[in-house]
Amino acid sequence: MRQPGDAGAVSAAPAVAQGGRSRRLSLSWLLALSFGSLIAVSILVVLGFAVYSATRNTVDLLRDRADLGIGVLTREVEGLLESTRSQAGFVARALETGEADPDDPEQVAALLFGAMAADPAIGAIVLIRPDGQTLLAERTETLARVRTLDFSNDEAAATAAAAALRYGRANREPVWVPPIHRPDYDSSILTLQIPIYRNDRFEGMLAAALGVRALSEFLEHLSAGSAPNTFVLYGKDSVLAHRLMAAGYPGLSLEKPLPGLAGFADPVLARMWDEHWMRRAGIEPRPPLQSHLVELAGAQYLFLYRQLDSYTATPLIVGAYFDTDVMSDEIDRLFNSIIVGLAALALSIGLALFIGRRLSRPVLRLSSVARLIGELRLDDIRDLPHSRVRELDEQSNAFNSMTGALRWFQAYVPRSLVHQLMREGDLASLASDRRNVTVMFSDIAGYSTISEGKSAAEVADLLNRHFGILTNAIEAEEGTVDKFIGDSVMAFWGAPEKQKNRAVRACRAALAIRDGIAADNRERESRGEPPVRVRLGIHSGQATAGNIGPPSRVNYTVIGDDVNIAQRLEQLGKDVSPGAEVAIILSAATVADLDGLFEVEPVGEMEVKGRAAPVAVYRLVGMG
């Protein structure tokens, strides 16, 4: 990054431009070539677009069929789960509102039977009381019955009931528990558990069991129609429902309630996530549907599926797969046509982008530099590079020279003042007037001792580092650094722009200076150098703000008695806080504007040079 001192790099640029001018291209010639290329490529684009338009209807039709097929399957799966949730929720509300007495087995039995009659997919409903007493309504092959369960001989059931009660006592939200296998039903079940609370008292858990076989029987019904290969997965590793599970599936147990996908009896489905066989599908379905291809034994199968996340903790994946041979010929013709159109389109876009970027790159750089200049972020600006286009090269040279001049300008003029000058464009906007301001003066205590024995370069380095800490803190609070007076800094808030919370901003800056000086002193001590101690004086009042000086050399500053008081307060720091690393002294006028946001410590009324009456003085301790 070029600093203000790099003016030579800017001034030398025009000479380089003159030496290589004969090798540069004309912008008008380059634009003519660009538009000519675009027109030539547009012919290919039109041909490709015509082919693409002819195929779009076919592709949309395939997508619509996929949406419809998976949509029907998804609605059925959600319907079974929602129906179970609805009926179980009805029973839970009846028990919670007192419509049915949980202590009356007959009322509870009638309620459970009613829920099962309304939803044939529910195989059983269980009410587990807090004391472990359990009432079960279940559907058998011939009838439905209600019975009280005894878990003394069924350790698995007792464990599940205890886990359900623990959940219910800690939570009030219904939850779908992972599938479990019930040997007595010869089926795996999905269970919805609902905590029952009546008047904030835990009354037990209601569990509704949805047999997995019900889902598989529905998929078996679909397999007789146009969707022979539908499935529902529990996560990516287990099969929840499939037509091959409608009559039961061998090998299931308490430890293995669902068949694993790997090794499943459907060899195509078993390879669904096998990365060795997976391929990207040529036609992307509409979200939330997803798709990919699986190659197996020389054939390709298109998987279409979507994920359901709003039920079980492990997401359900509902989908189907199709043999692509059924539609391969039509798809191939469509893809060939689309590829031709897309190739022409890609060629034209690529050429247009290449030429456009080459042409627009210097303009974009110029725009970026102009924006940084408008924000006065001159340190972030790099010199614009030379261009083979004559006009652009001359433009770059002019901007580089302007940026160098502005860096010097900013180095000698307060940044806030430069901002206002750039906005107003006229020194008349900075006419002198009376302003409410907050003024800060700083000074290094014992500066002569610290600088004694140092070379001029070392003294300059010390002051530059010190002024950098103070300036960063002041400008971070939108203050104006007016001048550097030896080892002192004068800054103010409230001019050239009017500001609210002037005293608050000044005090925040003072605390930031304190933190910065403390950090710098730790580094100095690690190098064996003495610490720097600083005094700050802050006063609020009225001052004359404006341009002071002859027309050829003006300085925007604030003057007046209240400015002098800030300097006198800084000098009082050596008496008020003689040993402090950073002494921050405030006047009563400044403290009155702080609205209690800071912790201050009264020092007393002290004589201030230039004032007949004593001035109430405070020490700034920290944030309130």
Side-chain angles (χ1 to χ4, degrees):
M1 180 180 295
R2 182 167 56 81
Q3 299 301 324
D6 299 334
V10 176
S11 61
V16 176
Q18 295 293 333
R21 180 170 296 176
S22 60
R23 298 192 301 271
R24 299 190 180 100
L25 303 176
S26 169
L27 179 60
S28 59
W29 183 88
L30 190 56
L31 285 174
L33 175 63
S34 301
F35 283 112
S37 301
L38 291 176
I39 292 173
V41 174
S42 295
I43 299 174
L44 294 176
V45 174
V46 171
L47 292 176
F49 182 75
V51 175
Y52 172 76
S53 297
T55 61
R56 183 171 180 176
N57 289 338
T58 304
V59 173
D60 286 344
L61 179 60
L62 292 174
R63 287 175 174 166
D64 290 340
R65 290 177 61 185
D67 287 346
L68 180 60
I70 302 302
V72 170
L73 179 58
T74 301
R75 284 192 294 273
E76 182 63 25
V77 173
E78 290 181 330
L80 289 173
L81 296 174
E82 287 292 346
S83 179
T84 300
R85 184 153 60 184
S86 176
Q87 294 303 321
F90 170 78
V91 174
R93 286 191 297 273
L95 294 173
E96 288 178 339
T97 59
E99 294 181 24
D101 187 355
D103 297 321
D104 188 338
E106 292 185 0
Q107 290 188 26
V108 174
L111 192 60
L112 299 183
F113 274 137
M116 293 175 61
D119 185 0
I122 298 178
I125 300 184
V126 181
L127 177 62
I128 309 173
R129 300 303 306 278
D131 59 2
Q133 182 181 354
T134 304
L135 189 65
L136 166 67
E138 60 181 344
R139 196 188 311 274
T140 66
E141 294 182 358
T142 58
L143 50 83
R145 63 182 180 180
V146 174
R147 59 192 177 100
T148 301
L149 295 183
D150 182 4
F151 295 142
S152 59
N153 297 321
D154 192 339
E155 183 178 351
T159 302
L165 290 175
R166 284 196 302 273
Y167 176 85
R169 289 189 174 95
N171 303 273
R172 296 199 178 192
E173 295 297 323
V175 61
W176 288 92
V177 299
I180 60 174
H181 184 68
R182 294 294 301 177
D184 47 348
Y185 295 145
D186 191 26
S187 174
S188 295
I189 59 174
L190 272 176
T191 305
L192 174 65
Q193 294 182 353
I194 303 178
I196 306 297
Y197 278 84
R198 186 175 181 183
N199 298 328
D200 291 330
R201 187 181 67 182
F202 181 58
E203 294 288 352
M205 289 291 288
L206 182 72
L210 172 64
V212 172
R213 188 176 297 179
L215 286 173
S216 297
E217 289 172 351
F218 172 72
L219 299 188
E220 185 180 37
H221 173 71
L222 287 181
S223 67
S226 59
N229 300 307
T230 52
F231 56 86
V232 180
L233 303 183
Y234 186 78
K236 287 190 173 183
D237 301 324
S238 302
V239 183
L240 183 67
H242 190 275
R243 59 182 174 80
L244 298 179
M245 299 169 61
Y249 195 86
L252 301 184
S253 62
L254 293 174
E255 293 76 18
K256 184 182 177 183
L258 296 176
L261 185 64
F264 188 67
D266 183 341
V268 179
L269 182 60
R271 297 286 180 89
M272 179 176 178
W273 306 115
D274 193 327
E275 295 183 358
H276 180 70
W277 304 102
M278 288 175 62
R279 302 288 185 271
R280 184 177 179 273
I283 299 178
E284 294 293 338
R286 296 186 181 92
L289 282 186
Q290 302 178 62
S291 67
H292 68 261
L293 291 174
V294 170
E295 293 185 358
L296 182 64
Q300 284 192 337
Y301 299 90
L302 175 64
F303 278 84
L304 296 168
Y305 50 93
R306 63 171 294 183
Q307 184 169 301
L308 303 181
D309 299 311
S310 57
Y311 295 98
T312 55
T314 300
L316 304 180
I317 299 176
V318 179
Y321 66 85
F322 306 90
D323 188 340
T324 58
D325 288 341
V326 177
M327 49 185 176
S328 59
D329 293 339
E330 184 179 7
I331 293 296
D332 287 342
R333 286 194 299 270
L334 296 180
F335 274 133
N336 290 337
S337 300
I338 292 174
I339 287 172
V340 172
L342 290 180
L345 182 62
L347 180 61
S348 64
I349 291 177
L351 184 58
L353 287 177
F354 174 77
I355 297 175
R357 290 186 65 180
R358 293 290 299 221
L359 284 176
S360 63
R361 189 178 300 165
V363 179
L364 292 176
R365 289 197 192 103
L366 179 62
S367 175
S368 178
V369 170
R371 183 174 62 253
L372 292 175
I373 289 176
E375 298 171 357
L376 284 183
R377 293 166 53 190
L378 302 182
D379 293 338
D380 296 336
I381 298 176
R382 295 181 180 274
D383 282 350
L384 293 175
H386 298 296
S387 173
R388 295 186 64 84
V389 179
R390 184 184 308 111
E391 294 84 349
L392 295 178
D393 189 68
E394 292 174 353
Q395 173 185 267
S396 297
N397 292 333
F399 249 81
N400 291 339
S401 298
M402 181 183 66
T403 303
L406 284 174
R407 285 195 178 102
W408 283 108
F409 180 62
Q410 180 180 258
Y412 286 95
V413 181
R415 184 166 302 187
S416 60
L417 181 59
V418 176
H419 273 291
Q420 183 157 343
L421 283 172
M422 294 182 68
R423 283 196 302 270
E424 303 294 341
D426 189 356
L427 286 175
S429 64
L430 300 176
S432 300
D433 63 348
R434 296 289 289 175
R435 290 284 186 90
N436 290 319
V437 296
T438 295
V439 183
M440 172 191 289
F441 272 88
S442 78
D443 185 43
I444 298 178
Y447 170 71
S448 299
T449 302
I450 295 175
S451 61
E452 184 178 0
K454 292 184 179 293
S455 65
E458 290 174 332
V459 171
D461 182 67
L462 168 67
L463 290 178
N464 288 339
R465 183 180 181 88
H466 175 72
F467 289 152
I469 295 172
L470 271 64
T471 300
N472 290 338
I474 292 168
E475 291 184 347
E477 293 297 334
E478 300 183 5
T480 298
V481 176
D482 183 21
K483 58 178 66 73
F484 302 107
I485 311 169
D487 61 320
S488 301
V489 175
M490 173 184 170
F492 53 84
W493 284 259
E497 295 182 351
K498 294 182 179 180
Q499 293 173 309
K500 295 182 179 179
N501 303 322
R502 296 175 298 277
V504 173
R505 293 173 186 267
C507 289
R508 282 203 300 255
L511 293 178
I513 291 172
R514 185 173 68 183
D515 293 339
I517 294 297
D520 185 57
N521 280 338
R522 287 194 293 270
E523 294 184 15
R524 292 177 59 82
E525 290 172 1
S526 67
R527 297 192 300 267
E529 299 178 1
V532 172
R533 292 185 295 109
V534 178
R535 299 189 297 265
L536 299 176
I538 302 174
H539 176 64
S540 300
Q542 282 201 335
T544 299
N547 293 319
I548 306 298
S552 61
R553 180 64 175 90
V554 297
N555 178 34
Y556 186 87
T557 186
V558 292
I559 58 176
D561 184 52
D562 285 315
V563 177
N564 297 331
I565 291 177
Q567 185 177 24
R568 302 293 186 264
L569 291 175
E570 171 263 307
Q571 295 170 356
L572 287 177
K574 58 186 175 183
D575 299 323
V576 173
S577 301
E581 188 174 45
V582 177
I584 307 173
I585 310 303
L586 310 179
S587 68
T590 298
V591 172
D593 289 341
L594 296 182
D595 296 329
L597 298 177
F598 295 83
E599 182 182 353
V600 297
E601 187 177 274
V603 175
E605 294 189 347
M606 306 188 72
E607 298 291 339
V608 174
K609 184 178 179 181
R611 279 292 180 98
V615 175
V617 177
Y618 295 79
R619 183 188 297 113
L620 178 61
V621 178
M623 295 296 297

